[in-house]
Amino acid sequence: MELQERVDVTVFTDVDKERFLKKIYPLRKPAVLRGVPLGPCLEKWTVDYLSERGGHREVKIHVSSLPQMDFLHKNFVYRTLPFAEFVQRAAAVEHPEFFISKHESYYLRSLGEDARKEPANLKKQFPDLAEDFHIPPFFQSDQFFSSVFRISSSGLQLWTHYDVMDNLLAQVSGRKRVVLYSPQDALHLYLSGDKSEVLDIDSPNLERYPDFVKACRYECVLEPGDLLYIPSLWFHNTLALQFGVGVNVFWRHLSMDSYDKKDPYGNKDPLAASRALQCVERALAGLEELPEDYQDFYARRMVQLIQSRAYAAQPTQPAQ
Ligand SMILES: O=C(O)CCC(=O)C(=O)O
């Protein structure tokens, strides 16, 4: 059986703004940045401190019966808890009070004030905690899009997906495994919108997803204090090896007007891309008036046109 190619994500130490911008950012490949100052959160953010300082504001959380969250069969529900209670529950293994079962798993992806309109911003939603977390000054302030709390029960696994913003994922406490796939492996990931249908990336169903082995697996384990640079469009799948607290910062790589203004999550395709996808949908609907063999033939011509006009010349080589 064909084996999936595996690459360790490169770890960089002594990274400052200049080194990041000159040597790491332009490669557009994931990179672990170790030892970048993140502020007092590294010492301070214990469960008790977070509960005390984060307060009782209500947070919307994912609650899942199994730690592997499954968006295809929707084995999770959205519930609301006061932040302090959520943190206590997420850090525990067994729950005297629960929504689904006493071993349920929890995950917070914090939201903006009006979740449908506004991106998350730690400074606005958690001002007392935000002062402990120093956003690495690697990009211009007008490129800033959002800062998002990512708090997970031990074992929680988030499905493989991509975002359209550049991302620095800071691991503040707990260890987290992250597996990434290049945007150039999109055809091997069996996409449903921005997510991969291959949920079990460690023992995939190859009868159903035979091309998954062709995707190169980039992997790293984040330790507390590590930052992971995830360039936009890179697919990522996270597995909390312990209860963990993280913050991710999204910022714009393209000009402001390239993005959908109604996108509080940072995962709506750039405007030009979503227009192009709509055109393809319309083109395919147009082909439907022809017999099947003609549809097949003209679909193949479209593929050839797309490949010759829009594919990058060289596939991405693993980061070194
Ligand atoms: O580790 C997590 O909680 C997921 C992080 C993530 O998906 C992101 O930073 O975009």
Side-chain angles (χ1 to χ4, degrees), residues 3-111:
L3 281 183
Q4 193 166 44
E5 187 186 351
R6 286 170 180 250
V7 173
D8 288 336
V9 176
T10 313
V11 179
F12 295 86
T13 50
D14 302 319
V15 178
D16 57 13
K17 181 176 178 176
E18 196 189 339
R19 184 151 178 245
F20 179 73
L21 289 180
K22 284 209 176 125
K23 301 275 183 219
I24 302 171
Y25 189 58
L27 299 176
R28 311 286 313 151
K29 302 214 177 108
V32 174
L33 317 179
R34 193 152 277 167
V36 175
L38 296 179
C41 57
L42 290 181
E43 288 82 47
K44 283 188 170 172
W45 284 6
T46 61
V47 171
D48 287 343
Y49 178 89
L50 286 169
S51 314
E52 208 176 288
R53 298 286 293 246
H56 293 278
R57 66 175 298 130
E58 300 268 307
V59 284
K60 189 171 166 197
I61 51 174
H62 296 66
V63 183
S64 159
S65 50
L66 291 173
Q68 293 81 18
M69 282 201 297
D70 175 346
F71 74 94
L72 288 174
H73 305 100
K74 205 134 193 299
N75 67 343
F76 60 92
V77 290
Y78 294 102
R79 290 288 178 269
T80 310
L81 279 178
F83 181 76
E85 187 177 344
F86 155 70
V87 174
Q88 298 281 346
R89 282 209 207 177
V93 175
E94 203 174 290
H95 317 293
E97 288 187 63
F98 54 83
F99 296 107
I100 313 172
S101 71
K102 65 180 178 189
H103 290 109
E104 64 197 16
S105 301
Y106 298 90
Y107 180 64
L108 169 69
R109 183 239 187 266
S110 62
L111 303 170

Side-chain angles (χ1 to χ4, degrees), residues 297-309 311:
F297 176 70
Y298 286 101
R300 286 171 200 275
R301 285 205 52 192
M302 281 165 68
V303 169
Q304 192 239 340
L305 195 61
I306 291 171
Q307 278 182 345
S308 64
R309 291 271 295 274
Y311 275 25

Side-chain angles (χ1 to χ4, degrees), residues 107 150 158 161 163 167 169 176 236 238 248 250:
Y107 180 64
R150 306 274 182 173
L158 189 63
H161 66 281
D163 301 294
N167 187 356
L169 174 60
K176 181 177 279 174
H236 44 288
T238 59
N248 89 281
F250 283 125

Side-chain angles (χ1 to χ4, degrees), residues 24 50 62 69-70 77 109 118 128 137-139 153 176 187 191 200 235 240 251 256 258 274-276 280 317:
I24 302 171
L50 286 169
H62 296 66
M69 282 201 297
D70 175 346
V77 290
R109 183 239 187 266
E118 227 180 279
D128 292 345
F138 292 170
F139 51 89
S153 295
K176 181 177 279 174
L187 292 185
L191 296 184
D200 189 349
F235 295 88
W251 76 98
M256 185 91 110
S258 302
S274 61
R275 276 195 303 268
V280 173
Q317 297 302 314

Side-chain angles (χ1 to χ4, degrees), residues 206-312:
L206 292 180
E207 267 172 36
R208 191 155 180 193
Y209 306 116
D211 284 347
F212 184 66
V213 283
K214 296 184 186 157
C216 174
R217 173 180 171 124
Y218 289 71
E219 184 166 336
C220 58
V221 173
L222 300 180
E223 305 287 339
D226 284 352
L227 281 170
L228 175 63
Y229 163 49
I230 309 178
S232 57
L233 310 184
W234 272 77
F235 295 88
H236 44 288
N237 177 299
T238 59
L239 170 64
L241 302 174
Q242 297 163 327
F243 161 72
V245 179
V247 176
N248 89 281
V249 182
F250 283 125
W251 76 98
R252 296 180 190 88
H253 170 227
L254 308 176
S255 68
M256 185 91 110
D257 53 10
S258 302
Y259 296 99
D260 190 326
K261 296 216 166 29
K262 295 192 208 92
D263 177 17
Y265 293 95
N267 62 3
K268 284 206 179 158
D269 293 307
L271 293 170
S274 61
R275 276 195 303 268
L277 290 169
Q278 279 165 17
C279 288
V280 173
E281 291 283 353
R282 274 202 295 276
L284 291 172
L287 283 186
E288 275 169 23
E289 64 188 58
L290 292 168
E292 216 173 273
D293 50 342
Y294 282 68
Q295 282 187 43
D296 179 283
F297 176 70
Y298 286 101
R300 286 171 200 275
R301 285 205 52 192
M302 281 165 68
V303 169
Q304 192 239 340
L305 195 61
I306 291 171
Q307 278 182 345
S308 64
R309 291 271 295 274
Y311 275 25

